[in-house]
Amino acid sequence: MDGVNPRRWWALLVLATAQFMVIMDTSIIGVALPEMQKDLGFSQGDLQWVFNAYVIAFGGLLLLGGRLSDLLGARKVFVGGWSVLIAGSVVAAAAQTAWVEVAGRAVQGVGGALIAPAAMTLLMMLFGHDPKELGKAMALYGAAAPAGGTAGVFLGGVFTEWLSWPWVFVIYVPIGLATLAATGLLPAVAPRRGAVDVLGAAFVTAGLALAVYAVVRAPEIGWGATATVLQLLGAALLLGLFIGVQRAVRAPLMPLGVWRIPRLGSANLAMALLGAAWIPMWYFLNLYLQQVLGYGAFASGAALLPMTGLLMIFMTAVTARLLGRFGAKRLIGAGLLVLAAGLVWLSAVGPTGSFVIDVLPASLVAALGMSLAYIPAMMAAMSGAPQEQAGLASGIVNTTYQVGSALGLAALTALATSQGAGRLGDLPALTDGFSAAFLGAAGIAAVGGVVTLALMRREPAATATATAAPDSDSAPDSASASASEEAGV
C-alpha cells in the first residue's frame, strides 16, 4: 500500500517502550517511598510530593506537549521529551535533599508531558490508514501500560531491597538512551507554522500546583485559615484565566469547541474520578504494607504483583472483547463501581492484618474494576477527535486523569493525616488513617460510576450490533477499531 511505513511495527515497539516507561515512572517509586522518606527527611504528609511533583508537571503540560507535537513535528517532540526525562532522572537519582528530589521528579514530569501526546500522534500517523491495523496497534500500545505498572512494582522492590532507591531513577538512563537511538524508525514530519500558547500552559500548570499545595497544607493550618482560602481562590483564578486565554488567543492549547464532541466531557470526568480513586489506593496500599505490616521493599513489591498481573491480563485479553459486546458506557460505570467495592473491602484492614485475607482479595477486586474502566474511558474520550487533533485529544484525556490523580491524592492524604496517618510507629493510628483514605477513594469511584451511567451517551444501535458478537480470532481488534470509530456517538 502506497504511503504505508514498512517499518511501522518496529516503530510501534519504540512507542510502546515509551508508554511502558512513562507508566513505570508512576509505579516504580511506590515501593521505594519509605526508604526515600528516611534518607531525604520527608514528613509523612510531604512524601506525596515525590508523586505529585511528577503528576502536576505531567498533567499541567500535556496540552502544551500535544500542541508542540502538532507544530514542531511529533518525532522532534518525542526526542526532546526523552532528553528531558533522562535529565530529570539523573537529578532525582543524585538528590541528597527533599527539594532536589521533588525538582527532579518535576523535570521527569515535563519529559513525560512531551512524550505521551507525541507517541499517540506518531501511532495514529503510522496506523491510521487501516482501522484493523490501528485496533491491533492500540491493543499492543495499551498493553504496554499494565506491563509498565507490573515491571515498576517488581523492579522498585528489587532495586530498593538489594541496591538502593536511587536505582529506580537510574534505570531510565540506559533505556532512554536506547530509545533515542531507535527514533530513526519513527516518521518525520515537517514543522507547521503556528503560535504556542505559553501563557495558557503557565496558567493551567500554576493553577493545578497551587490547588494541590492548598489541599496538602490545609490539615496543618486549617481549611478555614486565610492562607488556605487565598490559595484555593488563587488556584481558581489561575484556572479561570486559563479558560479566558483559551477564548482569546488564536491558537489555544485547548480549543473550547472540542468539548462539543459527544461523550468527550463525560468520558474525561470518568477518567478524572478514576485517577482520583486508583492512584491514592496504590499510594496508601504501599505505605500500609511497609509501615503497618512491616514488609520490606521487595516483599511489598511482590505483594502487589497479583494485582498488576490481573490488570495486565484483563486489559490485553478481556477488556477489548467486553468493549465490543457491552460498549464503553456500561464498562466504565461497572468498572468504577467494582473499584469502589474493592476499596470498601480494603478499608477494613487492621493493624495486625493478614495480606492473604485482608489485602489480596480486595486488591484483586479493585484491579478488576480499574481494568474494566480505563481503556473504555480512554477510547470513549478520544473517539470523536479527528486524526489531526490526536495529540490534543490524547493531551486532554491524559490531563484529566493526571489532574484527578493529583487532587485525589492530595485530598485523601489530608483525610488520612487527619485520621492518624501522620503518626509513624503508631500502628492503630496509621491504620485508621489509611482505612479512611481507602473509604474516601471508594466514595470517589462510586460517584464516578453513578455519574457515568447517568450522563454518558450509549453507542448507536448499529455500532452495538456490529460489535456485539465478534469472532474469537479478531475480537480484540474489532473492539478496539469500533471504539476508535465512534466519532458520532
Side-chain angles (χ1 to χ4, degrees), residues 27 30-31 145-147 149-151 153-154 277-287 289 300-315 339 342-343 346 355 358-372 438:
S27 65
V31 177
T150 302
V153 169
F154 177 74
W278 174 258
I279 293 300
M281 184 213 74
W282 186 272
Y283 177 87
F284 287 109
L285 190 53
N286 268 300
L287 295 183
L289 289 171
S300 178
L304 296 174
L305 282 177
M307 179 172 65
T308 52
L310 186 146
L311 270 173
M312 184 173 181
I313 292 170
F314 262 77
M315 282 191 178
L339 173 58
L343 286 162
L346 271 177
F355 168 74
D358 299 316
V359 174
L360 179 60
S363 68
L364 292 178
V365 171
L368 174 61
M370 175 63 169
S371 66
L372 290 174
F438 292 140

Side-chain angles (χ1 to χ4, degrees), residues 341-413:
L343 286 162
V344 170
W345 194 345
L346 271 177
S347 71
V349 293
T352 59
S354 162
F355 168 74
V356 174
I357 296 174
D358 299 316
V359 174
L360 179 60
S363 68
L364 292 178
V365 171
L368 174 61
M370 175 63 169
S371 66
L372 290 174
Y374 182 82
I375 289 178
M378 177 72 73
M379 300 200 65
M382 294 183 63
S383 61
Q387 182 172 336
E388 62 270 16
Q389 289 187 313
L392 173 63
S394 174
I396 290 174
V397 68
N398 278 289
T399 295
T400 56
Y401 182 80
Q402 299 298 334
V403 169
S405 300
L407 293 176
L409 181 57
L412 293 176
T413 296

Side-chain angles (χ1 to χ4, degrees), residues 55-91:
V55 167
I56 290 170
F58 184 59
L61 295 173
L62 269 169
L63 294 175
L64 179 62
R67 178 64 176 164
L68 291 175
S69 178
D70 292 337
L71 292 179
L72 303 181
R75 188 170 79 175
K76 289 182 179 179
V77 174
F78 186 83
V79 169
W82 270 106
S83 301
V84 174
L85 181 61
I86 291 170
S89 300
V90 171
V91 173

Side-chain angles (χ1 to χ4, degrees), residues 21 61 79 131 143 211 229 245 248 293 429 464:
M21 295 300 291
L61 295 173
V79 169
V229 173
V245 168
L293 298 190

Side-chain angles (χ1 to χ4, degrees), residues 9 130-137 473-474 477-478 481 485:
W9 295 106
D130 183 342
K132 188 173 180 65
E133 279 202 359
L134 178 61
K136 185 178 294 185
D473 292 329
S474 63
D477 296 347
S478 300
E485 294 166 356

